[in-house]
């Protein structure tokens, strides 16, 4: 069912938009039977990279949420919990606000890649910092990792607020749209830059399925079942941090995918991570591509930030989840 939904949403994504393309046109362009240069440019240069990037970003956010919820044994955990989103946001806002003054030379060298590179470095750096704080005597404390993530989120949020306070009107507009998330500028360069990291994260995640199942029984049980608990924690944080850092770098901040999707998958298919991880990847990609389609058509020809669409979907679900958690 999820695979069918993914195929249907993919078709809608490449056919809907300001320039109409039918499925017949798509097949003609793919087979080389349709000689329409504008349609070819719209399909191959605009919609296909946006579809691929949206699916990969949604899949990684959902898989990272599934991994962290299993690691922390907390249904409210999501990729932002360990500070990766806040760190990426702080670095991106720093480039936007300080790029014209303090970072001029580096911006000239990095060009259009400056913002994604900074966001990726910021997200990865905060994950490494939280990890180092949680390490003691060769072991990693999950509780300390969680608290370190909360503290880093607060510090990065304060830094972002300070830079926002000193930003000009033009800079404020740029960073506002970036922090709301968007796939509007997706191009093959973005796919080439973030794609390998996103695919690496997706391919590595299934190897954590059995240790994460063991974590559900308690951290002390993991070693008794023959798994290295510290290695599993390290791998889970690394996979989630690198994947989410790459996703935030090319799409901005998109919340709730990592929180909502794993819950829906667990309710439908059970708690085993051998099913939850691949199903979350498929469902997360489908949800984000579907939300992107809605963002493009709701106020056409303008376009809503996809972060707003996900907040409209995820916000009510999160409140419902909190109420159910309080009741149980």
């Amino acid at each position: 069912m999820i695979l069918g939904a993914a195929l249907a949403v993919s078709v809608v994504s490449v056919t809907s938009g300001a320039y109409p393309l039918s499925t017949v046109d798509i097949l003609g362009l793919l087979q080389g039977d349709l000689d329409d240069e504008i349609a070819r440019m719209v399909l191959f240069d605009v919609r296909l990279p946006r579809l691929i990037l949206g699916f990969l970003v949604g899949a990684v956010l959902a898989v990272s949420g599934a991994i962290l919820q299993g690691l922390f044994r907390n249904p409210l955990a999501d990729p932002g919990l360990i500070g990766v989103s806040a760190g990426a946001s702080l670095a991106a806002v720093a480039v936007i606000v300080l790029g014209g003054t303090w970072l001029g030379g580096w911006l000239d060298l990095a060009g259009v890649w400056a913002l994604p590179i900074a966001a990726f470095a910021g997200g990865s750096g905060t994950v490494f910092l939280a990890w180092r704080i949680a390490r003691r005597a060769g072991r990693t404390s999950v509780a300390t990792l969680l608290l370190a993530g909360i503290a880093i989120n607060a510090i990065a949020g304060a830094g972002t607020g300070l830079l926002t306070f000193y930003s000009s009107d033009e800079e404020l507009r740029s960073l506002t749209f970036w922090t709301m998330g968007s796939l509007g500028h997706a191009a093959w360069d973005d796919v080439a830059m973030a794609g390998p990291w996103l695919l690496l994260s997706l391919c590595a995640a299934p190897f954590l399925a059995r240790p994460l199942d063991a974590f559900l029984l308690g951290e002390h049980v993991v070693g008794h079942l023959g798994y290295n608990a510290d290695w599993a924690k390290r791998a889970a944080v690394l996979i989630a941090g690198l994947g989410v850092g790459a996703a935030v770098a090319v799409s901005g901040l998109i919340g709730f995918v990592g929180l909502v999707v794993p819950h829906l998958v667990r309710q439908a298919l059970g708690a085993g991570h051998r099913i939850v991880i691949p199903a979350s990847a498929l469902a997360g990609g489908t949800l984000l591509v579907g939300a992107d389609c809605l963002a493009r058509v709701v106020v056409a020809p303008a376009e809503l930030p996809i972060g707003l669409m996900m907040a409209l979907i995820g916000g009510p679900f999160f409140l419902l989840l909190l109420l159910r958690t309080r009741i149980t």
Side-chain angles (χ1 to χ4, degrees):
M1 186 178 70
I2 301 177
L3 183 59
L7 293 174
V9 168
S10 298
V11 172
V12 172
S13 176
V14 295
T15 56
S16 61
Y19 189 89
L21 285 176
S22 67
T23 52
V24 175
D25 295 333
I26 301 295
L27 292 175
L29 289 169
L30 293 176
Q31 295 173 353
D33 297 333
L34 179 62
D35 186 17
D36 185 333
E37 192 57 33
I38 296 178
R40 183 182 302 279
M41 184 181 67
V42 169
L43 176 63
F44 290 107
D45 295 342
V46 178
R47 294 185 185 168
L48 277 182
R50 184 168 184 158
L51 169 65
I52 294 171
L53 195 66
F55 195 90
L56 288 176
V57 168
V60 163
L61 292 177
V63 166
S64 299
I67 289 175
L68 294 178
Q69 287 169 13
L71 178 65
F72 291 116
R73 287 177 289 160
N74 189 330
L76 301 181
D78 81 341
L81 197 64
I82 55 177
V84 57
S85 299
S89 178
L90 176 60
V93 171
V95 168
I96 293 172
V97 177
L98 305 177
T101 54
W102 294 4
L103 305 175
W106 182 73
L107 278 184
D108 293 339
L109 180 64
V112 296
W113 295 64
L115 189 62
I117 290 174
F120 182 74
S124 302
T126 51
V127 169
F128 179 75
L129 178 60
W131 175 259
R132 291 300 300 169
I133 293 174
R135 292 279 292 177
R136 185 176 182 182
R139 296 179 61 85
T140 304
S141 167
V142 172
T144 304
L145 181 62
L146 176 62
L147 294 173
I150 293 173
I152 290 173
N153 269 320
I155 296 170
T160 301
L162 186 64
L163 290 171
T164 303
F165 179 77
Y166 282 106
S167 64
S168 65
D169 290 344
E170 183 180 354
E171 292 164 349
L172 182 61
R173 182 177 175 82
S174 297
L175 66 90
T176 299
F177 275 99
W178 190 86
T179 53
M180 287 193 291
S182 176
L183 294 172
H185 300 289
W188 288 116
D189 286 344
D190 299 311
V191 177
M193 185 192 69
W197 299 104
L198 297 172
L199 287 173
L200 178 63
S201 180
L202 290 174
C203 293
F207 291 100
L208 289 173
R210 291 182 183 275
L212 289 175
D213 287 342
F215 268 106
L216 294 178
L217 302 175
E219 187 173 339
H220 64 284
V221 178
V222 179
H224 294 305
L225 294 178
Y227 301 111
N228 186 323
D230 199 56
W231 175 87
K233 296 174 197 172
R234 189 184 309 173
V237 172
L238 181 64
I239 291 171
L242 291 181
V244 174
V248 172
V250 292
S251 66
L253 298 179
I254 300 175
F256 290 110
V257 178
L259 177 67
V260 172
V261 172
H263 280 288
L264 295 177
V265 170
R266 285 194 184 93
Q267 289 180 357
L269 302 175
H273 286 88
R274 280 175 292 178
I275 300 297
V276 168
I277 289 176
S280 293
L282 198 56
T286 303
L287 177 62
L288 195 62
V289 172
D292 183 49
C293 290
L294 286 176
R296 287 156 48 190
V297 301
V298 167
V299 293
E303 184 177 312
L304 281 176
I306 194 171
L308 291 182
M309 294 302 301
M310 290 310 307
L312 290 173
I313 297 171
F317 181 85
F318 188 69
L319 287 176
L320 179 62
L321 187 65
L322 286 176
L323 290 173
R324 290 186 60 182
T325 303
R326 188 183 64 179
I327 292 172
T328 56

